[in-house]
């Protein structure tokens, strides 16, 4: 990349010629105010707040966001192009622009939800003046209805068009636009219907004023009264970086953190608006079933009831199933406890298709999420990434917009926000493609960095073997590039496989454990998507009064992901740690601590007394888990072994396991906001079908 020398405020720096003047000034350490410019959106150049003075240019202020360094000309004697960000001309220009922006802006700050985090407030303080020369009436704009998540106060809007560009470019659902001219300009959704994107919550983050604010969080708290905790999202297997804001012991809201490896600076609506589910329908004390009814009990009573049942049982009649939100620590503890009881029956709800014995590469998303930006061909098999991993879908769309990515889909025909070749619905299509009968086969073979993305819920083990074989035959795995990727949809899944919380060596699979007459006792770590047959004594360790708790014989109240420190491994195999932001309600305790206390009552005391000791044992057993925020790359040989497994693939069409995006786990099902979103989404599907 060619570097260009320029002067910024008398300081000489070298920057790439592709930089905008704004980026060049920032690189030199100068601060440039802006409202419409956003580094992840296209350039609009319509707020004029970023004006600077350029020597050798026209004798007027220049909008630094819309001009590149390569457009600058040297002086008559070869002097370097010079920019000034603090000159009197610039100061006057900025004050003028700010005065214009505030002509029609209402004096809403005391009742505006953006107060304290508002770009307009901050920049009016830093670059504005304290008086206005305009005495005319302010114009008012009607508020728009945008659905359940975004609240509007359109009189505050300064027409920066960030929301229009975001919904068109990043969401791929162009539902917002700017109508009218001059003073009559308005941002609108045209038809006043609810937004349909799963990323719409980010509109609140990109809006630099209080025109778009968060509807569920409206008037709930001010930013300066919140405690802020950096954590990890567990709603899907992507592991977006989030910030949990708490007041007292209550989680008030969840915001994204910038992490270019995974979510850039966006999060899905489920991640952001799950918050009210964390305080509804919570289990806050142990329960024991007596005469068919659950009654509140003390911890010792609950443990005694379990001990009475487990006491003389053969270990092979005991099993453990983990739900989607379980952290690595409690799965490790449960596996050890069951081993002490003589049982090797452990599995996750949907993990039967994977064999951790083959090696890591056979079950992680090997190309990595950031690696999608190098891909030039993508085959999606049996997945709907828009529902299963919204943020990863946005990354695919980002790559697709460059024009360098060809996409083929086998499975459901869904709106994924980008154009793709629909190849077919199921196994036959995949076999045809493997035999080279589709033109897309050539696309994959000739691609430099191809990816085969297989949805975790698409089918059983034989499907993964077939996809792995196709990946091997088509040269999708080569030196420096491994294009075979499994897209998981449960945050606990990869971590479970890493610690061997999976069927192995003749132990029962989840499906077998849920067959009538196979088990006497089942330990459920928040597994709510399973049907337990009659005659099984269920010990449920979880957070919400969901399906699992209704079926339980003993309920032990656990901690949600914002209430404990826990390790999760995302779909690409990146080890991440969720941090505690608040404390569990009532008598609820952290899951590993419940298992440790229970082990003592059962006379099989686990060998750790603190989370630190548990982690020490965990890291000894699975060393790569100690490297937080790093990916332990899988050995491509594992994919060859997976391919050699073979097996006959079910003839049914592949379909995504997620029927309702908003109601996939117990926290989401307890959330009123998610219920409303789900209702709106299904209503929209109905109108589309008519």
């Amino acid at each position: 990349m060619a570097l260009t020398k320029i002067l910024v405020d008398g300081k000489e720096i070298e920057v790439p010629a592709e930089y905008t003047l704004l980026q060049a000034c920032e690189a030199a350490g100068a601060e440039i105010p802006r409202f419409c410019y956003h580094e992840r959106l296209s350039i609009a150049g319509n707020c004029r707040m970023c004006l600077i003075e350029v020597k050798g240019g026209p004798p007027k202020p220049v909008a630094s966001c819309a001009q590149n360094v390569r457009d600058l000309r040297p002086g008559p004697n070869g002097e370097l192009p010079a920019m000034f960000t603090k000159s009197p001309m610039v100061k006057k220009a900025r004050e003028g622009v700010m005065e214009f922006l505030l002509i029609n802006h209402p004096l809403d700050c005391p009742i505006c939800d953006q107060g304290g985090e508002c770009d307009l407030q901050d920049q009016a303080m830093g670059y504005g003046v304290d008086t206005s020369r305009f005495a005319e009436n302010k114009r008012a704009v009607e508020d728009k209805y945008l659905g359940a998540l975004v609240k509007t106060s359109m009189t505050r809007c300064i027409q920066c068009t960030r929301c229009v560009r975001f919904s068109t470019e990043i969401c791929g659902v162009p539902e917002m636009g700017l109508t009218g001219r001059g003073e009559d300009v308005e941002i609108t959704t045209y038809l006043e219907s609810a937004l349909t994107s799963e990323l719409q919550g980010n509109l609140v983050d990109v809006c630099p004023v209080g025109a778009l604010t968060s509807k569920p969080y409206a008037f709930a708290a001010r930013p300066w009264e919140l405690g802020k905790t950096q954590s990890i999202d567990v709603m899907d297997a992507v592991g977006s970086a989030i910030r949990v804001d708490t007041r007292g012991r209550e989680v008030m809201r969840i915001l994204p953190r910038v992490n270019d490896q995974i979510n850039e600076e966006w999060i899905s609506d489920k991640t952001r608006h799950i918050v009210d589910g964390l305080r509804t329908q919570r289990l806050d004390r142990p329960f024991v079933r007596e005469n068919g009814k659950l009654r509140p009990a003390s911890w010792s009573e609950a443990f005694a009831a379990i001990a009475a049942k487990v006491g003389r049982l053969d270990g092979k009649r005991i099993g453990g199933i983990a739900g989607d939100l379980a952290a690595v620590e409690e799965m490790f503890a449960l596996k050890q406890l069951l081993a002490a009881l003589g049982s090797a029956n452990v599995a996750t709800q949907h993990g039967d298709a994977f064999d951790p014995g083959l090696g890591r590469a056979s079950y992680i998303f090997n190309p990595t999420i950031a690696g999608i930006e190098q891909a030039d061909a993508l085959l999606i098999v049996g997945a709907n990434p828009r529902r299963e991993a919204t943020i990863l879908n946005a990354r695919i769309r980002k790559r697709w917009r460059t024009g360098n990515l060809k996409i083929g889909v086998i499975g459901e025909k869904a709106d994924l926000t980008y154009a793709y070749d629909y190849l077919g619905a199921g196994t036959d299509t995949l076999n045809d493609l493997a035999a080279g009968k589709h033109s897309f086969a050539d696309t994959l073979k000739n691609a430099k960095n191809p990816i085969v993305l297989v949805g975790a819920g698409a089918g059983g083990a034989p499907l993964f073997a077939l996809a792995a074989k196709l990946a091997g035959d088509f040269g999708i795995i080569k030196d420096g590039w491994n294009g075979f990727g499994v897209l998981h949809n449960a945050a606990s899944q990869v971590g479970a496989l890493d610690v061997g919380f999976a069927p192995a060596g003749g132990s029962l699979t989840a499906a077998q454990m849920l067959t009538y007459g196979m088990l006497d006792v089942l330990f459920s770590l928040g597994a709510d998507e399973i049907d337990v047959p009659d005659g099984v004594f269920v010990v449920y360790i979880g957070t919400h009064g969901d399906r699992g708790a209704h079926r339980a014989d003993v309920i032990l109240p656990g901690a949600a992901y914002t209430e404990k420190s826990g390790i999760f491994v995302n779909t690409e195999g990146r080890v991440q740690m969720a941090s505690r932001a608040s404390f569990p309600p009532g008598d609820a305790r952290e899951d590993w601590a419940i298992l440790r206390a229970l082990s003592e009552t059962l006379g099989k005391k686990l060998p750790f007394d603190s989370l630190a000791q548990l982690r020490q044992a965990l890291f000894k057993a699975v060393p790569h888990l100690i490297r937080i925020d790093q990916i332990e790359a899988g050995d491509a040989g594992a994919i060859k072994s997976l391919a050699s497994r073979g097996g006959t693939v079910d003839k049914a069409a592949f379909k995504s396991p997620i029927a309702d995006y908003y109601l996939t786990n117990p926290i989401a099902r307890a959330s009123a906001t998610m219920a409303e979103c789900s209702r709106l989404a299904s209503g929209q599907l109905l109108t589309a079908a008519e």
Side-chain angles (χ1 to χ4, degrees):
M1 202 184 272
L3 292 177
T4 309
K5 276 193 180 146
I6 51 170
L7 285 170
V8 178
D9 292 334
K11 180 173 160 191
E12 186 179 312
I13 62 157
E14 280 193 305
V15 292
E18 293 74 50
Y19 267 26
T20 60
L21 302 190
L22 189 146
Q23 287 169 309
C25 291
E26 301 250 296
E31 193 182 319
I32 307 286
R34 85 291 301 266
F35 291 114
C36 68
Y37 174 82
H38 190 290
E39 58 190 22
R40 298 186 201 275
L41 303 175
S42 60
I43 289 166
N46 57 6
C47 76
R48 315 315 273 178
M49 195 63 210
C50 63
L51 295 173
I52 60 168
E53 184 180 353
V54 177
K55 197 155 184 197
K60 61 173 189 178
V62 171
S64 60
C65 68
Q67 194 173 19
N68 290 68
V69 170
R70 68 157 75 87
D71 301 331
L72 297 175
R73 297 285 169 264
N77 310 318
E79 299 101 337
L80 294 178
M83 297 189 276
F84 302 95
T85 65
K86 299 188 179 75
S87 66
M89 179 217 268
V90 174
K91 186 171 183 297
K92 187 166 182 241
R94 283 177 185 164
E95 287 172 358
V97 169
M98 181 58 78
E99 199 176 345
F100 267 130
L101 285 177
L102 295 178
I103 291 176
N104 288 311
H105 194 79
L107 292 171
D108 268 357
C109 301
I111 56 141
C112 174
D113 258 342
Q114 202 83 311
E117 332 175 89
C118 172
D119 293 357
L120 189 65
Q121 248 182 359
D122 297 344
Q123 291 178 36
M125 276 299 290
Y127 304 100
V129 272
D130 55 356
T131 53
S132 171
R133 289 167 286 183
F134 294 92
E136 287 80 12
N137 289 336
K138 291 179 182 285
R139 71 165 194 162
V141 183
E142 217 171 288
D143 293 345
K144 310 288 186 288
Y145 170 71
L146 297 184
L149 301 180
V150 182
K151 174 170 172 269
T152 58
S153 308
M154 296 318 288
T155 305
R156 299 174 189 156
C157 174
I158 58 169
Q159 286 84 44
C160 68
T161 67
R162 272 188 190 182
C163 54
V164 179
R165 286 173 286 148
F166 177 81
S167 58
T168 307
E169 294 161 18
I170 311 283
C171 298
V173 189
E175 296 176 313
M176 298 187 77
L178 189 114
T179 60
R181 302 183 63 172
E183 200 188 17
D184 299 323
V185 158
E186 284 188 44
I187 299 269
T188 168
T189 54
Y190 307 120
L191 300 176
E192 295 269 331
S193 58
L195 299 173
T196 57
S197 169
E198 294 84 6
L199 290 166
Q200 54 175 297
N202 297 296
L203 288 170
V204 176
D205 291 340
V206 294
C207 182
V209 295
L212 305 178
T213 51
S214 171
K215 205 176 244 180
Y217 174 71
F219 311 128
R222 285 297 199 183
W224 53 84
E225 32 174 11
L226 300 173
K228 303 168 180 64
T229 312
Q230 302 201 342
S231 189
I232 292 301
D233 169 56
V234 298
M235 291 300 121
D236 50 27
V238 177
S240 306
I242 58 171
R243 190 183 93 193
V244 183
D245 286 2
T246 48
R247 184 174 63 191
R249 47 184 313 163
E250 193 175 12
V251 175
M252 300 304 292
R253 64 171 178 180
I254 289 173
L255 294 176
R257 284 187 291 131
V258 178
N259 182 343
D260 284 322
Q261 299 299 310
I262 300 177
N263 59 320
E264 302 185 281
E265 56 186 88
W266 320 120
I267 50 174
S268 71
D269 292 342
K270 194 159 47 171
T271 302
R272 184 186 300 262
H273 289 297
I274 202 86
V275 179
D276 59 328
L278 286 167
R279 46 180 178 256
T280 322
Q281 289 195 308
R282 284 302 296 269
L283 301 170
D284 58 357
R285 60 179 119 168
F287 287 84
V288 175
R289 194 177 290 276
E290 273 179 14
N291 309 326
K293 284 219 169 116
L294 286 167
R295 68 161 180 88
S298 68
W299 279 105
S300 48
E301 282 178 298
F303 286 168
I306 298 167
K309 187 72 188 172
V310 172
R312 295 176 198 76
L313 275 184
D314 172 17
K316 295 189 172 51
R317 308 279 299 165
I318 304 175
I321 295 185
D324 293 351
L325 309 179
V328 170
E329 287 91 345
E330 55 251 30
M331 291 191 282
F332 181 72
L334 180 58
K335 188 183 174 196
Q336 283 203 326
L337 177 58
L338 288 176
L341 294 169
S343 166
N345 302 327
V346 289
T348 51
Q349 292 180 142
H350 317 294
D352 285 354
F354 305 99
D355 180 359
L358 290 172
R360 231 169 162 233
S362 69
Y363 59 81
I364 63 173
F365 190 75
N366 293 291
T368 71
I369 295 171
I372 292 172
E373 301 200 13
Q374 270 79 58
D376 46 3
L378 167 67
L379 175 67
I380 299 175
V381 181
N384 178 342
R386 182 170 169 185
R387 279 199 195 147
E388 292 170 41
T390 311
I391 294 297
L392 183 134
N393 195 57
R395 190 70 78 125
I396 297 175
R397 176 176 161 80
K398 178 181 177 183
R399 178 62 180 164
W400 171 80
R401 285 185 68 232
T402 64
N404 300 328
L405 180 62
K406 292 191 172 62
I407 304 170
V409 170
I410 301 178
E412 288 179 320
K413 201 168 188 176
D415 175 11
L416 297 178
T417 73
Y418 38 79
Y420 57 80
D421 288 337
Y422 184 66
L423 308 178
T427 319
D428 296 342
T429 314
L430 193 56
N431 286 323
D432 287 353
L433 185 70
K437 290 184 189 162
H438 272 278
S439 58
F440 200 78
D442 300 332
T443 308
L444 276 176
K445 280 179 179 161
N446 302 332
K448 193 160 159 275
N449 295 335
I451 293 180
V452 172
L453 180 156
V454 195
L463 169 70
F464 291 100
L466 181 58
K469 184 174 181 308
L470 179 135
D473 296 348
F474 281 24
I476 281 161
I477 299 148
K478 41 195 159 191
D479 281 348
W481 180 260
N482 181 342
F484 177 78
V486 178
L487 179 61
H488 292 281
N489 44 32
S492 60
Q493 186 66 65
V494 180
L497 295 167
D498 275 356
V499 294
F501 197 89
S507 68
L508 301 178
T509 63
Q512 288 165 332
M513 284 192 244
L514 299 173
T515 308
Y516 183 76
M518 294 298 280
L519 287 187
D520 291 329
V521 174
L522 174 69
F523 286 92
S524 160
L525 264 184
D528 289 275
E529 277 81 34
I530 55 175
D531 290 311
V532 185
D534 294 340
V536 181
F537 184 86
V538 179
V539 179
Y540 179 77
I541 304 173
T543 54
H544 285 71
D546 208 72
R547 256 174 69 186
H550 287 289
R551 171 63 186 83
D553 294 284
V554 176
I555 295 175
L556 305 176
Y561 71 108
T562 53
E563 297 155 4
K564 63 186 174 196
S565 172
I567 291 173
F568 291 88
V569 188
N570 80 350
T571 191
E572 52 179 356
R574 186 184 296 275
V575 183
Q576 298 177 299
M577 197 178 285
S579 309
R580 174 198 277 147
S582 63
F583 289 90
D587 284 337
R589 294 290 179 266
E590 292 181 38
D591 306 55
W592 73 267
I594 295 173
L595 290 162
R596 161 69 181 77
L598 174 62
S599 69
E600 204 155 346
T601 310
L602 296 177
K604 307 281 187 197
K605 187 172 162 189
L606 290 172
F608 40 79
D609 297 328
S610 67
L611 187 56
Q613 286 175 340
L614 163 57
R615 283 197 176 139
Q616 227 168 344
L618 174 65
F619 296 149
K620 202 165 173 185
V622 191
H624 73 252
L625 291 176
I626 201 166
R627 292 193 280 283
I628 298 291
D629 208 37
Q630 288 181 31
I631 300 176
E632 176 82 4
D635 172 20
I639 299 167
K640 283 199 184 72
S641 336
L642 175 62
S644 64
R645 284 277 167 105
T648 48
V649 186
D650 193 13
K651 286 290 184 209
F654 305 143
K655 66 179 206 297
S656 166
I658 294 183
D660 190 332
Y661 167 76
Y662 294 104
L663 304 177
T664 51
N665 61 46
I667 306 179
R669 288 189 286 266
S671 159
T673 311
M674 292 293 105
E676 174 70 359
C677 289
S678 167
R679 191 184 64 76
L680 283 169
S682 57
Q684 270 146 1
L685 296 176
L686 290 174
T687 51
E690 283 164 14

